[in-house]
Amino acid sequence: DQQVKQNSPSLSVQEGRISILNCDYTNSMFDYFLWYKKYPAEGPTFLISISSIKDKNEDGRFTVFLNKSAKHLSLHIVPSQPGDSAVYFCAASDPSGYNKLIFGAGTRLAVHP
Amino acid sequence: DAGITQSPRYKITETGRQVTLMCHQTWSHSYMFWYRQDLGHGLRLIYYSAAADITDKGEVPDGYVVSRSKTENFPLTLESATRSQTSVYFCASSERGPEQYFGPGTRLTVT
């Protein structure tokens, strides 16, 4: 059973508007969450993270929100740019240790002019 | 160049053959990981290593073997390749925190 779920396989947004990517998780022991961005034929690159003791973390155009009671996090991109078109993976730090991550299935974001 | 590299980038092999995917990192990170990426599944952990000579199974280890005799190298071997192992394979490394740094990937096709 997937512990980290990204229920929207794809999202299309107009340039300049807000992109909201969602992620749900089932394990309340997760204490750290990360978002990765992946372009075709490249490896995933780290984008932004949030600790479970916070409810918001912001880095430029990217903001991650965490709702622990709902076991839900979201990534907001404002304003969206065509270069943001990529696959976005949500990940949670495995509480069993060893720096392991558990990934969602990914959401493909397309930002069109 | 510094960073994490994978070789080959593309590989086509036949069912039943043994194939080894290479991963090399120059940061001296303690932790290294192998993932496979398949449509609808995201990134699934195959094997991980906490240090040289310390390895353990991840979520989908069947059919794969790893070794880590040196900190900087973490090869992944498919002992007898099957079509279900057609995938994109990513190697990653990390040190203190959970943030992992990924290589560019190897696209493997098993015919």
Side-chain angles (χ1 to χ4, degrees):
Chain A
D1 190 26
Q2 284 189 316
Q3 297 188 67
V4 178
K5 299 179 183 180
Q6 294 176 257
N7 292 318
S8 298
S10 63
L11 176 67
S12 182
V13 172
Q14 191 169 21
E15 181 179 6
R17 306 294 287 266
I18 184 171
S19 295
I20 300 176
L21 295 93
N22 294 303
C23 179
D24 297 298
Y25 61 95
T26 58
N27 190 340
S28 58
M29 298 298 291
F30 289 152
D31 60 0
Y32 203 80
F33 302 89
L34 306 89
W35 285 94
Y36 280 81
K37 177 179 181 179
K38 185 186 177 306
Y39 292 119
E42 294 184 10
T45 55
F46 170 74
L47 190 58
I48 192 169
S49 62
I50 188 167
S51 165
S52 61
I53 62 174
K54 296 185 177 181
D55 54 16
K56 177 182 175 182
N57 189 26
E58 192 171 357
D59 183 2
R61 297 185 297 113
F62 303 91
T63 303
V64 57
F65 295 93
L66 176 63
N67 182 333
K68 287 186 65 177
S69 61
K71 295 191 180 69
H72 177 83
L73 63 155
S74 60
L75 174 67
H76 292 211
I77 306 173
V78 185
S80 301
Q81 300 174 355
D84 296 328
S85 297
V87 176
Y88 290 79
F89 291 101
C90 171
S93 181
D94 190 328
S96 68
Y98 299 103
N99 285 7
K100 292 189 291 181
L101 296 176
I102 300 171
F103 284 86
T107 296
R108 182 177 301 277
L109 173 66
V111 181
H112 53 88
Chain B
D1 289 340
I4 185 165
T5 56
Q6 294 183 236
S7 61
R9 293 294 314 277
Y10 302 90
K11 176 74 177 179
I12 300 174
T13 191
E14 294 178 344
T15 301
R17 290 194 180 262
Q18 182 181 78
V19 59
T20 296
L21 309 184
M22 304 301 293
C23 178
H24 175 80
Q25 51 106 354
T26 60
W27 295 305
S28 297
H29 283 172
S30 297
Y31 298 95
M32 295 189 75
F33 309 86
W34 274 106
Y35 294 90
R36 58 179 290 173
Q37 183 195 2
D38 304 290
L39 195 64
H41 291 280
L43 295 160
R44 292 183 293 175
L45 182 64
I46 304 170
Y47 268 94
Y48 65 97
S49 170
D53 297 322
I54 301 175
T55 63
D56 205 350
K57 297 177 181 180
E59 181 187 356
V60 288
D62 293 345
Y64 303 96
V65 174
V66 294
S67 62
R68 195 166 176 208
S69 58
K70 293 183 178 180
T71 299
E72 61 267 30
N73 296 325
F74 191 37
L76 176 74
T77 298
L78 288 68
E79 294 185 297
S80 178
T82 65
R83 291 195 181 89
S84 66
Q85 293 177 309
T86 292
S87 186
V88 182
Y89 292 85
F90 290 101
C91 177
S93 70
S94 71
E95 188 56 35
R96 295 188 198 88
E99 181 183 329
Q100 295 180 10
Y101 300 88
F102 283 80
T106 294
R107 180 174 293 276
L108 176 68
T109 301
V110 183
T111 63

